Amino acid sequence: MLAALGSLAAALWAGLHLRTLLLGAFVFLTLLDYIKRRPPKNYPPGPPRLPFFGNFFQLDFRKPHETVQRFVKKYGNLLSLDLGYFSSVTVTGLPLIKEVLVHTEQNILSRPVTAIRYRVFKKHGLLMSSGQEWKEQRRFALMTLRNFGLGKKSIDERIQEEAHYLVETIQEEKGQPFNPHFKINNAVSNIICSVTFGERFEYDDARFQELLKLLDEATYLEASMWSELYSIFPWLMKFLPGPHQTVIRDWEKLKLFVSREIESHKKDWNPDEPRDFIDAYLTEMTKHTDNTTSSFHEESLVCSTLDLFFAGTETTSTTLRWALLYMAMNPGIQEKVQAEIDRVLGQSQQPSTASREHMPYTNAVIHEVQRMGNIVPLNVPRVVTYDTTLAGYNLPKGTMILTNLTALHRDPKEWATPDTFNPEHFLENGQFKKRESFMPFSIGKRVCLGEQLARAELFIFFTSLMQKFTFEPPANEKLNLNFRSGLTLSPVSYRICAVPRV
Ligand code: HEM
Ligand SMILES: *[C@@H]1O[C@H](CO)[C@@H](O)[C@H](O)[C@H]1NC(C)=O
Ligand SMILES: *[C@@H]1O[C@H](CO)[C@@H](O)[C@H](O)[C@H]1NC(C)=O
């Protein structure tokens, strides 16, 4: 009896003990978290944060660029938000964005790497690398892409040829409703593929279509709540199933595809006759074989190539998908584009970047698509590498910097009709007019590496499609501008009719 009482007491004690211990640990960790993440003096204001999660629960992951609007109104143009894994500051308004991307640029050239990205890419590649490695990889990529014709006539010809194939495959739809998503992605991707891998892929190549779907899925899911949770609690989320595991699997499969391409390049590689980016990179690697601090090794070859493949595919095709939607929803504007095409090119001459100068209206429409489409709404994040001040506030080392391109592209002070599709924003007396508040490619030393290529692709693909087809909503269906928010803002899946013009 006594023994039984004794063991009961012991059990109670142990239970109590455990609970006290857990409670104590929780209080301790919360305090630690509080101290660790207490904002420094003169830090930009923001909403109050929870321990561990920061402002996580205050963000809507389906449209993060919109939900914080109330905060911007309340706290002003420099808004601090704690994402749980990074302290971030969002910069709004042209003067401040220019200030941060141009004047303090030297202190914010690096990228913050989330845990989920680190898992697959470490800090290698072009998009997310920093410091010396970024400098070396970017310089090499720019030089090599130029050697393979970027910014020259030869890349124009490559795009024209691909545009021809795209028109052909869309002709097969015979004006019936179809979803243009992966045909467009394939066409756009073939341009960067021909530069990086030395080949293009047929639109009915099931294996390549599968890769494009992986890329699309990863782009979407990497910005999901699950991936954010992975970045806050990697040690836990690593073991839990969910969309974050899909993202990791997708990127791993894409890396495998690139690795296989590299292996097959090695087989018939001739250093004297580089065929593409991979060949040129293999040659560069031989110059650094004895150097352990060099960034030219096989892992970064895979990552840089995959970055070009990803950045060169998703962004431009998403923009083109927005373009078709805007045209089908604004038939009057589409007609004007076609009238300009008929006047300058007719039906037989293919558009080239040289025709752009003679086609201000079409050029303005493409710019307006980019303004309204606004596919990278908060720019690609940067991170502060040296304590910096901006507008009187302190931005300590390690702060993630987001620049609010949405606010810029929809600023009522800068645009006559900020929320309406209106090419006149880029026209003056019938001539094309550049606008300072338009920066879909960002600005500064880390500006989009593919801007020239993207602009050539957008112009030639868009103009070729407008030359041959009129895009219309399917009978009895209404098109809308609903979007899906991932690493890019893209239109939700839609069907459209491409009615042949002749
Ligand atoms: C409409 C199409 C495109 C848009 C809107 C776009 C937008 C952007 C933006 C906003 C950045 C971040 C710049 C910054 O941090 O300040 C970026 C970076 C980058 N883009 Fe693009 N991009 C497009 C097309 C392309 C294409 C076709 C390529 C292919 C070569 C490409 C390759 C890259 C790379 C490699 C980076 C990383 C540069 C670095 O971190 O140094 N982009 N892009
Ligand atoms: C960016 O600007 C838009 C438009 O003004 C606003 O709705 C949004 O809340 C801003 N986002 C952030 C993160 O500041
Ligand atoms: C090794 O690589 C680093 C980084 O690229 C470079 O700064 C250094 O000069 C190289 N050393 C030699 C011996 O080539």
Side-chain angles (χ1 to χ4, degrees), residues 179-451:
N179 180 349
H181 190 152
F182 288 102
K183 285 189 175 181
I184 291 181
N185 280 33
N186 201 329
V188 166
S189 192
N190 275 344
I191 306 302
I192 194 71
C193 285
S194 67
V195 178
T196 50
F197 307 128
E199 59 179 320
R200 67 176 289 277
F201 300 90
E202 294 295 339
Y203 302 142
D204 58 7
D205 179 337
R207 196 186 56 121
F208 191 65
Q209 284 284 320
E210 179 64 28
L211 285 171
L212 291 174
K213 295 204 166 103
L214 290 178
L215 204 58
D216 180 70
E217 184 175 69
T219 308
Y220 173 49
L221 292 178
E222 191 175 327
S224 70
M225 186 188 75
W226 292 91
S227 305
E228 304 282 317
L229 276 174
Y230 184 102
S231 293
I232 306 179
F233 307 115
W235 41 270
L236 174 67
M237 296 303 284
K238 213 165 24 183
F239 300 107
L240 299 184
H244 54 293
Q245 303 288 4
T246 314
V247 178
I248 295 169
R249 246 188 341 262
D250 288 351
W251 283 124
E252 291 294 355
K253 283 188 202 155
L254 288 158
K255 273 178 81 176
L256 195 66
F257 161 69
V258 174
S259 300
R260 292 212 180 110
E261 284 281 347
I262 293 169
E263 287 315 310
S264 82
H265 274 69
K266 280 182 184 165
K267 284 197 194 105
D268 44 14
W269 168 54
N270 175 358
D272 299 327
E273 276 174 41
R275 295 158 294 185
D276 48 38
F277 181 79
I278 292 182
D279 274 0
Y281 204 106
L282 289 171
T283 307
E284 187 67 24
M285 272 163 61
T286 61
K287 297 182 194 159
H288 301 262
T289 39
D290 302 327
N291 190 340
T292 49
T293 55
S294 153
S295 67
F296 291 96
H297 44 74
E298 184 130 354
E299 184 63 15
S300 58
L301 164 56
V302 175
C303 294
S304 283
T305 309
L306 184 50
D307 279 349
L308 286 175
F309 177 54
F310 160 67
T313 299
E314 280 302 317
T315 48
T316 312
S317 37
T318 301
T319 308
L320 281 171
R321 279 185 286 126
W322 278 121
L324 300 189
L325 258 186
Y326 278 113
M327 289 304 96
M329 292 173 77
N330 296 279
I333 294 173
Q334 180 167 218
E335 253 171 52
K336 278 191 176 172
V337 171
Q338 289 168 333
E340 186 174 69
I341 292 173
D342 294 347
R343 197 170 61 245
V344 179
L345 300 170
Q347 269 298 319
S348 52
Q349 192 187 335
Q350 271 208 303
S352 67
T353 44
S355 358
R356 196 160 45 190
E357 281 166 51
H358 310 291
M359 304 176 71
Y361 193 78
T362 307
N363 197 15
V365 165
I366 295 171
H367 280 70
E368 183 68 353
V369 168
Q370 288 202 273
R371 182 187 74 84
M372 288 293 284
N374 187 38
I375 64 166
V376 196
L378 293 174
N379 209 335
V380 181
R382 310 279 193 93
V383 68
V384 177
T385 38
Y386 304 97
D387 292 354
T388 301
T389 54
L390 180 66
Y393 288 106
N394 286 337
L395 303 177
K397 183 179 168 183
T399 311
M400 171 162 126
I401 302 291
L402 297 165
T403 38
N404 192 342
L405 300 182
T406 310
L408 205 57
H409 292 155
R410 298 287 173 92
D411 189 342
K413 288 201 291 288
E414 302 285 338
W415 309 96
T417 59
D419 298 316
T420 310
F421 189 88
N422 175 8
E424 299 301 324
H425 287 140
F426 293 94
L427 290 166
E428 196 168 59
N429 305 324
Q431 289 308 305
F432 180 77
K433 178 175 70 169
K434 271 197 177 150
R435 300 296 305 268
E436 210 184 1
S437 300
F438 174 79
M439 45 175 91
F441 299 102
S442 185
I443 51 171
K445 284 207 176 70
R446 222 172 163 160
V447 60
C448 173
L449 184 152
E451 177 172 354

Side-chain angles (χ1 to χ4, degrees), residues 65-66 68-69 72 90 378 404 407:
H65 65 301
E66 282 180 3
V68 284
Q69 184 145 32
V72 177
T90 308
L378 293 174
N404 192 342

